[in-house]
Tab-separated table of all heavy atoms in Angstrom:
chain	number	residue	atom	x	y	z
Y	1	ARG	N	55.075	54.435	-130.631
Y	1	ARG	CA	54.150	54.254	-129.597
Y	1	ARG	C	52.784	54.787	-129.900
Y	1	ARG	O	51.703	54.110	-129.532
Y	1	ARG	CB	54.665	54.741	-128.253
Y	1	ARG	CG	55.696	53.881	-127.657
Y	1	ARG	CD	56.021	54.196	-126.222
Y	1	ARG	NE	57.001	53.310	-125.775
Y	1	ARG	CZ	58.237	53.718	-125.230
Y	1	ARG	NH1	58.460	55.091	-125.191
Y	1	ARG	NH2	59.127	52.943	-124.979
Y	2	GLU	N	52.722	55.986	-130.441
Y	2	GLU	CA	51.476	56.627	-130.938
Y	2	GLU	C	50.589	55.585	-131.886
Y	2	GLU	O	49.468	55.678	-131.775
Y	2	GLU	CB	51.802	57.880	-131.716
Y	2	GLU	CG	52.197	59.052	-130.853
Y	2	GLU	CD	52.466	60.193	-131.682
Y	2	GLU	OE1	52.467	60.123	-132.989
Y	2	GLU	OE2	52.757	61.217	-131.143
Y	3	ARG	N	51.306	54.870	-132.625
Y	3	ARG	CA	50.709	53.977	-133.664
Y	3	ARG	C	50.457	52.552	-132.977
Y	3	ARG	O	50.149	51.650	-133.715
Y	3	ARG	CB	51.529	53.840	-134.803
Y	3	ARG	CG	51.653	55.210	-135.633
Y	3	ARG	CD	52.447	55.073	-136.892
Y	3	ARG	NE	51.685	54.284	-137.873
Y	3	ARG	CZ	50.744	54.825	-138.720
Y	3	ARG	NH1	50.450	56.051	-138.698
Y	3	ARG	NH2	50.162	53.966	-139.644
Y	4	GLY	N	50.848	52.406	-131.791
Y	4	GLY	CA	50.673	51.062	-131.181
Y	4	GLY	C	51.747	50.151	-131.436
Y	4	GLY	O	51.624	48.857	-131.270
Y	5	LEU	N	52.913	50.636	-131.844
Y	5	LEU	CA	53.960	49.742	-132.139
Y	5	LEU	C	54.924	49.656	-130.997
Y	5	LEU	O	55.101	50.532	-130.299
Y	5	LEU	CB	54.884	50.279	-133.406
Y	5	LEU	CG	53.971	50.526	-134.645
Y	5	LEU	CD1	54.779	51.143	-135.801
Y	5	LEU	CD2	53.463	49.091	-135.225
Y	6	ASN	N	55.555	48.341	-130.970
Y	6	ASN	CA	56.532	48.218	-129.795
Y	6	ASN	C	57.906	48.223	-130.493
Y	6	ASN	O	58.136	47.650	-131.593
Y	6	ASN	CB	56.355	46.833	-129.162
Y	6	ASN	CG	55.084	46.806	-128.479
Y	6	ASN	OD1	54.709	47.846	-127.657
Y	6	ASN	ND2	54.249	45.869	-128.601
Y	7	VAL	N	58.912	48.822	-129.832
Y	7	VAL	CA	60.276	48.866	-130.204
Y	7	VAL	C	61.038	47.956	-129.247
Y	7	VAL	O	60.875	48.017	-128.049
Y	7	VAL	CB	60.854	50.333	-130.015
Y	7	VAL	CG1	62.381	50.357	-130.227
Y	7	VAL	CG2	60.131	51.290	-131.012
Y	8	PRO	N	61.690	46.919	-129.641
Y	8	PRO	CA	62.133	46.690	-131.128
Y	8	PRO	C	61.255	45.644	-131.750
Y	8	PRO	O	61.585	45.294	-132.936
Y	8	PRO	CB	63.540	46.169	-131.014
Y	8	PRO	CG	63.433	45.399	-129.723
Y	8	PRO	CD	62.581	46.101	-128.836
Y	9	GLU	N	60.155	45.109	-131.159
Y	9	GLU	CA	59.592	44.043	-131.703
Y	9	GLU	C	58.890	44.304	-133.077
Y	9	GLU	O	59.008	43.611	-133.919
Y	9	GLU	CB	58.449	43.539	-130.831
Y	9	GLU	CG	58.977	42.921	-129.518
Y	9	GLU	CD	59.206	43.966	-128.451
Y	9	GLU	OE1	59.069	45.147	-128.755
Y	9	GLU	OE2	59.658	43.553	-127.334
Y	10	ASP	N	58.393	45.564	-133.325
Y	10	ASP	CA	57.731	45.952	-134.393
Y	10	ASP	C	58.529	46.921	-135.241
Y	10	ASP	O	58.272	47.130	-136.423
Y	10	ASP	CB	56.387	46.752	-134.147
Y	10	ASP	CG	55.397	45.800	-133.270
Y	10	ASP	OD1	55.160	44.653	-133.739
Y	10	ASP	OD2	54.691	46.296	-132.302
Y	11	LEU	N	59.488	47.687	-134.630
Y	11	LEU	CA	60.281	48.621	-135.305
Y	11	LEU	C	61.579	48.758	-134.528
Y	11	LEU	O	61.635	48.935	-133.347
Y	11	LEU	CB	59.642	49.983	-135.233
Y	11	LEU	CG	60.403	51.172	-135.903
Y	11	LEU	CD1	60.477	51.049	-137.343
Y	11	LEU	CD2	59.658	52.426	-135.455
Y	12	SER	N	62.772	48.600	-135.264
Y	12	SER	CA	63.986	48.857	-134.761
Y	12	SER	C	64.466	50.264	-134.962
Y	12	SER	O	64.046	50.838	-136.037
Y	12	SER	CB	65.066	47.850	-135.444
Y	12	SER	OG	64.906	46.564	-134.970
Y	13	VAL	N	64.944	50.878	-134.022
Y	13	VAL	CA	65.479	52.186	-134.094
Y	13	VAL	C	66.853	52.344	-133.630
Y	13	VAL	O	67.504	51.735	-132.662
Y	13	VAL	CB	64.645	53.129	-133.094
Y	13	VAL	CG1	64.978	54.646	-133.123
Y	13	VAL	CG2	62.994	53.045	-133.486
Y	14	VAL	N	67.579	53.142	-134.400
Y	14	VAL	CA	69.089	53.395	-134.104
Y	14	VAL	C	69.266	54.862	-134.208
Y	14	VAL	O	68.726	55.688	-134.944
Y	14	VAL	CB	70.062	52.831	-135.181
Y	14	VAL	CG1	71.466	53.150	-134.950
Y	14	VAL	CG2	69.828	51.344	-135.247
Y	15	GLY	N	70.052	55.352	-133.286
Y	15	GLY	CA	70.325	56.867	-133.106
Y	15	GLY	C	71.776	57.091	-133.368
Y	15	GLY	O	72.508	56.190	-133.899
Y	16	PHE	N	72.210	58.376	-132.980
Y	16	PHE	CA	73.526	58.686	-133.200
Y	16	PHE	C	74.068	59.705	-132.141
Y	16	PHE	O	73.269	60.563	-131.908
Y	16	PHE	CB	73.524	59.364	-134.678
Y	16	PHE	CG	74.764	59.168	-135.500
Y	16	PHE	CD1	74.615	58.186	-136.432
Y	16	PHE	CD2	75.943	59.786	-135.329
Y	16	PHE	CE1	75.743	57.957	-137.358
Y	16	PHE	CE2	76.964	59.460	-136.037
Y	16	PHE	CZ	76.866	58.540	-137.157
Y	17	ASP	N	75.083	59.561	-131.743
Y	17	ASP	CA	75.797	60.496	-130.646
Y	17	ASP	C	75.955	59.897	-129.342
Y	17	ASP	O	76.782	60.439	-128.677
Y	17	ASP	CB	75.127	61.841	-130.640
Y	17	ASP	CG	75.195	62.585	-131.825
Y	17	ASP	OD1	76.061	62.435	-132.686
Y	17	ASP	OD2	74.179	63.346	-132.176
Y	18	ASP	N	75.120	58.853	-128.936
Y	18	ASP	CA	75.308	58.430	-127.481
Y	18	ASP	C	75.037	59.544	-126.491
Y	18	ASP	O	75.847	59.605	-125.528
Y	18	ASP	CB	76.568	57.742	-127.222
Y	18	ASP	CG	76.593	56.814	-125.987
Y	18	ASP	OD1	75.498	56.454	-125.499
Y	18	ASP	OD2	77.688	56.710	-125.309
Y	19	SER	N	74.104	60.303	-126.731
Y	19	SER	CA	73.750	61.354	-125.735
Y	19	SER	C	73.041	60.814	-124.542
Y	19	SER	O	72.580	59.736	-124.621
Y	19	SER	CB	72.907	62.422	-126.538
Y	19	SER	OG	71.735	61.958	-126.995
Y	20	ASP	N	72.842	61.571	-123.563
Y	20	ASP	CA	72.034	61.181	-122.282
Y	20	ASP	C	70.739	60.512	-122.714
Y	20	ASP	O	70.361	59.488	-122.093
Y	20	ASP	CB	71.842	62.309	-121.423
Y	20	ASP	CG	73.316	62.781	-120.774
Y	20	ASP	OD1	74.238	62.015	-120.811
Y	20	ASP	OD2	73.207	63.827	-120.205
Y	21	ILE	N	70.062	61.173	-123.633
Y	21	ILE	CA	68.619	60.595	-123.905
Y	21	ILE	C	68.701	59.201	-124.400
Y	21	ILE	O	67.857	58.339	-124.153
Y	21	ILE	CB	67.880	61.409	-124.903
Y	21	ILE	CG1	66.359	61.153	-124.710
Y	21	ILE	CG2	68.414	61.266	-126.296
Y	21	ILE	CD1	65.586	62.154	-125.547
Y	22	SER	N	69.826	58.679	-124.989
Y	22	SER	CA	69.953	57.347	-125.514
Y	22	SER	C	70.028	56.254	-124.456
Y	22	SER	O	69.631	55.153	-124.714
Y	22	SER	CB	71.214	57.162	-126.318
Y	22	SER	OG	72.402	57.224	-125.636
Y	23	ARG	N	70.393	56.685	-123.257
Y	23	ARG	CA	70.383	55.744	-122.151
Y	23	ARG	C	69.164	55.812	-121.286
Y	23	ARG	O	68.854	54.958	-120.450
Y	23	ARG	CB	71.689	56.046	-121.337
Y	23	ARG	CG	72.875	55.643	-122.135
Y	23	ARG	CD	74.171	55.922	-121.172
Y	23	ARG	NE	74.396	57.352	-120.909
Y	23	ARG	CZ	74.844	58.294	-121.843
Y	23	ARG	NH1	75.084	57.909	-123.087
Y	23	ARG	NH2	75.181	59.568	-121.425
Y	24	VAL	N	68.368	56.873	-121.403
Y	24	VAL	CA	67.207	57.016	-120.431
Y	24	VAL	C	65.851	56.767	-121.194
Y	24	VAL	O	64.917	56.428	-120.467
Y	24	VAL	CB	67.107	58.330	-119.860
Y	24	VAL	CG1	68.384	58.597	-118.953
Y	24	VAL	CG2	67.016	59.509	-120.767
Y	25	VAL	N	65.815	56.750	-122.547
Y	25	VAL	CA	64.615	56.424	-123.273
Y	25	VAL	C	64.422	54.940	-123.142
Y	25	VAL	O	65.396	54.108	-122.878
Y	25	VAL	CB	64.707	56.902	-124.660
Y	25	VAL	CG1	65.762	56.116	-125.385
Y	25	VAL	CG2	63.371	56.889	-125.433
Y	26	TRP	N	63.141	54.477	-123.361
Y	26	TRP	CA	62.886	53.018	-123.227
Y	26	TRP	C	62.278	52.553	-124.489
Y	26	TRP	O	61.357	53.062	-124.934
Y	26	TRP	CB	61.932	52.697	-122.105
Y	26	TRP	CG	61.818	51.159	-121.860
Y	26	TRP	CD1	60.970	50.309	-122.396
Y	26	TRP	CD2	62.845	50.391	-121.330
Y	26	TRP	NE1	61.337	49.093	-122.154
Y	26	TRP	CE2	62.430	49.050	-121.454
Y	26	TRP	CE3	64.170	50.603	-120.701
Y	26	TRP	CZ2	63.137	47.997	-120.983
Y	26	TRP	CZ3	64.808	49.568	-120.217
Y	26	TRP	CH2	64.326	48.266	-120.382
Y	27	PRO	N	62.998	51.552	-125.106
Y	27	PRO	CA	64.175	50.917	-124.651
Y	27	PRO	C	65.450	51.736	-124.887
Y	27	PRO	O	65.402	52.641	-125.825
Y	27	PRO	CB	64.051	49.487	-125.506
Y	27	PRO	CG	63.370	50.001	-126.746
Y	27	PRO	CD	62.431	50.932	-126.282
Y	28	PRO	N	66.516	51.430	-124.220
Y	28	PRO	CA	67.660	52.249	-124.452
Y	28	PRO	C	68.110	51.932	-125.870
Y	28	PRO	O	67.933	50.917	-126.494
Y	28	PRO	CB	68.692	51.578	-123.619
Y	28	PRO	CG	67.858	50.802	-122.417
Y	28	PRO	CD	66.579	50.434	-123.094
Y	29	LEU	N	68.616	53.164	-126.552
Y	29	LEU	CA	68.929	53.163	-127.878
Y	29	LEU	C	70.283	52.538	-128.375
Y	29	LEU	O	71.198	52.635	-127.654
Y	29	LEU	CB	69.081	54.644	-128.423
Y	29	LEU	CG	67.825	55.382	-128.729
Y	29	LEU	CD1	68.246	56.884	-128.836
Y	29	LEU	CD2	67.016	54.847	-129.808
Y	30	THR	N	70.059	51.739	-129.403
Y	30	THR	CA	71.224	51.286	-130.172
Y	30	THR	C	71.728	52.623	-130.866
Y	30	THR	O	70.893	53.352	-131.381
Y	30	THR	CB	71.063	50.228	-131.155
Y	30	THR	OG1	70.650	49.047	-130.318
Y	30	THR	CG2	72.137	49.949	-132.109
Y	31	THR	N	73.082	52.973	-130.602
Y	31	THR	CA	73.463	54.238	-131.153
Y	31	THR	C	75.029	54.190	-131.534
Y	31	THR	O	75.612	53.238	-131.133
Y	31	THR	CB	73.088	55.355	-130.104
Y	31	THR	OG1	73.423	56.644	-130.637
Y	31	THR	CG2	74.074	55.245	-128.778
Y	32	ILE	N	75.375	55.256	-132.125
Y	32	ILE	CA	76.819	55.379	-132.470
Y	32	ILE	C	77.486	56.372	-131.401
Y	32	ILE	O	76.987	57.527	-131.254
Y	32	ILE	CB	76.997	56.000	-133.944
Y	32	ILE	CG1	76.431	55.112	-134.922
Y	32	ILE	CG2	78.346	56.436	-134.161
Y	32	ILE	CD1	77.372	53.849	-135.174
Y	33	ARG	N	78.478	55.918	-130.877
Y	33	ARG	CA	79.466	56.830	-130.007
Y	33	ARG	C	80.403	57.400	-130.784
Y	33	ARG	O	81.227	56.577	-131.424
Y	33	ARG	CB	79.923	56.165	-128.796
Y	33	ARG	CG	80.715	56.994	-127.831
Y	33	ARG	CD	81.378	56.301	-126.696
Y	33	ARG	NE	80.236	55.849	-125.860
Y	33	ARG	CZ	80.426	54.785	-125.031
Y	33	ARG	NH1	81.544	53.996	-125.082
Y	33	ARG	NH2	79.390	54.435	-124.164
Y	34	GLN	N	80.566	58.624	-130.795
Y	34	GLN	CA	81.754	59.305	-131.420
Y	34	GLN	C	82.676	59.886	-130.365
Y	34	GLN	O	82.183	60.332	-129.379
Y	34	GLN	CB	81.213	60.461	-132.369
Y	34	GLN	CG	80.377	59.906	-133.426
Y	34	GLN	CD	79.858	60.944	-134.406
Y	34	GLN	OE1	80.557	61.140	-135.445
Y	34	GLN	NE2	78.932	61.757	-133.982
Y	35	PRO	N	83.971	59.953	-130.736
Y	35	PRO	CA	84.891	60.540	-129.823
Y	35	PRO	C	84.884	62.034	-129.926
Y	35	PRO	O	85.856	62.790	-130.342
Y	35	PRO	CB	86.264	59.998	-130.381
Y	35	PRO	CG	86.088	59.810	-131.816
Y	35	PRO	CD	84.554	59.346	-131.847
Y	36	VAL	N	83.776	62.594	-129.389
Y	36	VAL	CA	83.544	64.027	-129.473
Y	36	VAL	C	84.592	64.928	-128.857
Y	36	VAL	O	85.061	65.826	-129.564
Y	36	VAL	CB	82.183	64.456	-128.888
Y	36	VAL	CG1	81.911	65.956	-128.944
Y	36	VAL	CG2	81.102	63.734	-129.411
Y	37	GLU	N	85.135	64.578	-127.729
Y	37	GLU	CA	86.217	65.225	-127.041
Y	37	GLU	C	87.481	65.224	-127.990
Y	37	GLU	O	88.122	66.172	-128.075
Y	37	GLU	CB	86.507	64.677	-125.664
Y	37	GLU	CG	87.426	65.638	-124.938
Y	37	GLU	CD	87.515	65.141	-123.519
Y	37	GLU	OE1	86.568	64.783	-122.830
Y	37	GLU	OE2	88.682	65.223	-122.839
Y	38	ASP	N	87.772	64.090	-128.450
Y	38	ASP	CA	89.060	63.953	-129.338
Y	38	ASP	C	88.783	64.733	-130.593
Y	38	ASP	O	89.733	65.289	-131.087
Y	38	ASP	CB	89.400	62.462	-129.697
Y	38	ASP	CG	89.833	61.634	-128.373
Y	38	ASP	OD1	90.215	62.232	-127.510
Y	38	ASP	OD2	89.684	60.396	-128.635
Y	39	MET	N	87.624	64.817	-131.150
Y	39	MET	CA	87.410	65.480	-132.386
Y	39	MET	C	87.521	67.060	-131.961
Y	39	MET	O	87.966	67.715	-132.857
Y	39	MET	CB	85.931	65.174	-132.747
Y	39	MET	CG	85.596	63.682	-133.359
Y	39	MET	SD	83.897	63.247	-133.453
Y	39	MET	CE	83.408	64.370	-134.743
Y	40	ALA	N	87.026	67.499	-130.973
Y	40	ALA	CA	87.160	68.861	-130.572
Y	40	ALA	C	88.590	69.245	-130.471
Y	40	ALA	O	89.167	70.400	-130.955
Y	40	ALA	CB	86.380	69.194	-129.222
Y	41	HIS	N	89.407	68.476	-129.740
Y	41	HIS	CA	90.869	68.761	-129.617
Y	41	HIS	C	91.522	68.723	-130.869
Y	41	HIS	O	92.366	69.653	-131.238
Y	41	HIS	CB	91.455	67.678	-128.684
Y	41	HIS	CG	91.217	67.758	-127.251
Y	41	HIS	ND1	91.634	68.835	-126.451
Y	41	HIS	CD2	90.397	67.066	-126.431
Y	41	HIS	CE1	91.208	68.768	-125.282
Y	41	HIS	NE2	90.356	67.669	-125.094
Y	42	ARG	N	91.282	67.782	-131.833
Y	42	ARG	CA	91.882	67.692	-133.159
Y	42	ARG	C	91.485	68.903	-134.021
Y	42	ARG	O	92.333	69.506	-134.642
Y	42	ARG	CB	91.536	66.460	-133.879
Y	42	ARG	CG	92.032	66.244	-135.111
Y	42	ARG	CD	93.571	66.028	-135.053
Y	42	ARG	NE	94.231	66.027	-136.257
Y	42	ARG	CZ	95.096	66.902	-136.883
Y	42	ARG	NH1	95.611	67.882	-136.042
Y	42	ARG	NH2	95.519	66.806	-138.154
Y	43	ALA	N	90.228	69.380	-133.880
Y	43	ALA	CA	89.743	70.562	-134.614
Y	43	ALA	C	90.582	71.767	-134.130
Y	43	ALA	O	90.951	72.673	-134.925
Y	43	ALA	CB	88.280	70.664	-134.416
Y	44	MET	N	90.753	71.918	-132.771
Y	44	MET	CA	91.555	73.056	-132.373
Y	44	MET	C	92.976	72.903	-132.751
Y	44	MET	O	93.571	74.067	-133.200
Y	44	MET	CB	91.410	73.065	-130.836
Y	44	MET	CG	90.150	73.500	-130.229
Y	44	MET	SD	89.527	75.194	-130.763
Y	44	MET	CE	90.994	76.058	-130.174
Y	45	ASP	N	93.552	71.775	-132.725
Y	45	ASP	CA	94.873	71.734	-133.355
Y	45	ASP	C	95.071	72.062	-134.782
Y	45	ASP	O	95.967	72.780	-135.149
Y	45	ASP	CB	95.346	70.233	-133.196
Y	45	ASP	CG	95.685	69.798	-131.653
Y	45	ASP	OD1	95.865	70.736	-130.829
Y	45	ASP	OD2	95.883	68.581	-131.409
Y	46	MET	N	94.034	71.679	-135.524
Y	46	MET	CA	94.007	72.010	-136.994
Y	46	MET	C	93.946	73.499	-137.146
Y	46	MET	O	94.532	74.074	-137.991
Y	46	MET	CB	92.859	71.209	-137.707
Y	46	MET	CG	93.097	69.635	-137.763
Y	46	MET	SD	91.660	68.902	-138.415
Y	46	MET	CE	91.775	69.150	-140.115
Y	47	LEU	N	92.997	74.015	-136.393
Y	47	LEU	CA	92.834	75.546	-136.495
Y	47	LEU	C	94.012	76.296	-135.995
Y	47	LEU	O	94.556	77.291	-136.833
Y	47	LEU	CB	91.671	75.901	-135.571
Y	47	LEU	CG	91.346	77.455	-135.471
Y	47	LEU	CD1	90.990	77.940	-136.932
Y	47	LEU	CD2	90.173	77.676	-134.598
């Protein structure tokens, strides 16, 4: 936006994590959702 570009018309942007900001930023982010809770449970089991 600082450069006068529009997303996604001029620049496509992809994020990672599906955090809250991914849904409230404009336009909403294409992102990767990871099974964070399952990952934490599995890590505890391994430990």
Side-chain angles (χ1 to χ4, degrees):
R1 287 199 179 116
E2 287 177 354
R3 295 184 72 84
L5 301 173
N6 293 313
V7 174
E9 295 85 358
D10 301 314
L11 178 72
S12 285
V13 179
V14 177
F16 220 101
D17 295 331
D18 191 32
S19 62
D20 290 341
I21 199 168
S22 72
R23 292 178 295 282
V24 297
V25 71
W26 189 260
L29 278 174
T30 294
T31 189
I32 295 286
R33 177 185 293 154
Q34 298 185 97
V36 176
E37 190 173 319
D38 292 343
M39 291 165 67
H41 286 287
R42 182 64 186 122
M44 286 301 299
D45 288 344
M46 292 171 79
L47 179 60

